[in-house]
Amino acid sequence: QVKLVESGGGLVQPGGSLRLSCAASGTIFGVGMSWYRQAPGKQRELVATIPSIGAPMYADSVEGRFTISRDNAEKMVYLEMNSLKPEDTAVYYCNLVSWNQNVWGQGTQVTVSS
């Protein structure tokens, strides 16, 4: 079973940037990877997904501000977040789904506040 560990969260001012990382203990080659987030009192929502083949996809709320990327050789997935807003505040989770796996990381807190 692959394990996912997120890092890079923290406190940032509105308009700032943050880069989240997701490290996988096993291969991510050939599987889709995603970032989700969950704010207090709200449902978990899909932020971005990057398929094994094809273009990344983004939630409307982050389109143009966030960029998801992957490095299969390094077994890493990233989420570059720019122009951050207070409503981006949430715990961000990395997710891997394949035919026989549905794996979540422990989450990393992102707080956008002045």
Side-chain angles (χ1 to χ4, degrees), residues 7 20 22 26 38 55 63-64 74 77 82 89 95-96 102 106:
S7 63
L20 305 183
C22 173
Q38 187 167 26
E63 181 74 47
E74 296 296 323
V77 182
N82 300 307
T89 296
N95 173 246
L96 177 156
N102 185 1
Q106 83 288 349

Side-chain angles (χ1 to χ4, degrees), residues 3-114:
K3 179 178 290 186
L4 304 177
V5 179
E6 303 95 334
S7 63
L11 176 64
V12 64
Q13 293 186 340
S17 298
L18 211 56
R19 178 181 166 97
L20 305 183
S21 298
C22 173
S25 63
T27 183
I28 61 171
F29 180 81
V31 300
M33 302 293 297
S34 300
W35 286 95
Y36 287 75
R37 68 185 181 187
Q38 187 167 26
K42 296 184 178 181
Q43 290 187 315
R44 186 173 300 183
E45 64 173 337
L46 177 64
V47 175
T49 187
I50 182 166
S52 60
I53 299 174
M57 295 170 283
Y58 301 93
D60 289 343
S61 59
V62 307
E63 181 74 47
R65 299 188 297 120
F66 290 12
T67 302
I68 187 171
S69 61
R70 64 194 296 163
D71 186 333
N72 290 340
E74 296 296 323
K75 298 181 289 186
M76 295 289 293
V77 182
Y78 305 98
L79 185 67
E80 181 71 34
M81 305 184 294
N82 300 307
S83 301
L84 283 162
K85 306 174 180 179
E87 50 263 44
D88 294 319
T89 296
V91 178
Y92 284 71
Y93 298 91
C94 185
N95 173 246
L96 177 156
V97 177
S98 69
W99 71 275
N100 68 336
Q101 296 183 92
N102 185 1
V103 182
W104 295 88
Q106 83 288 349
T108 185
Q109 176 72 48
V110 173
T111 302
V112 184
S113 177
S114 59

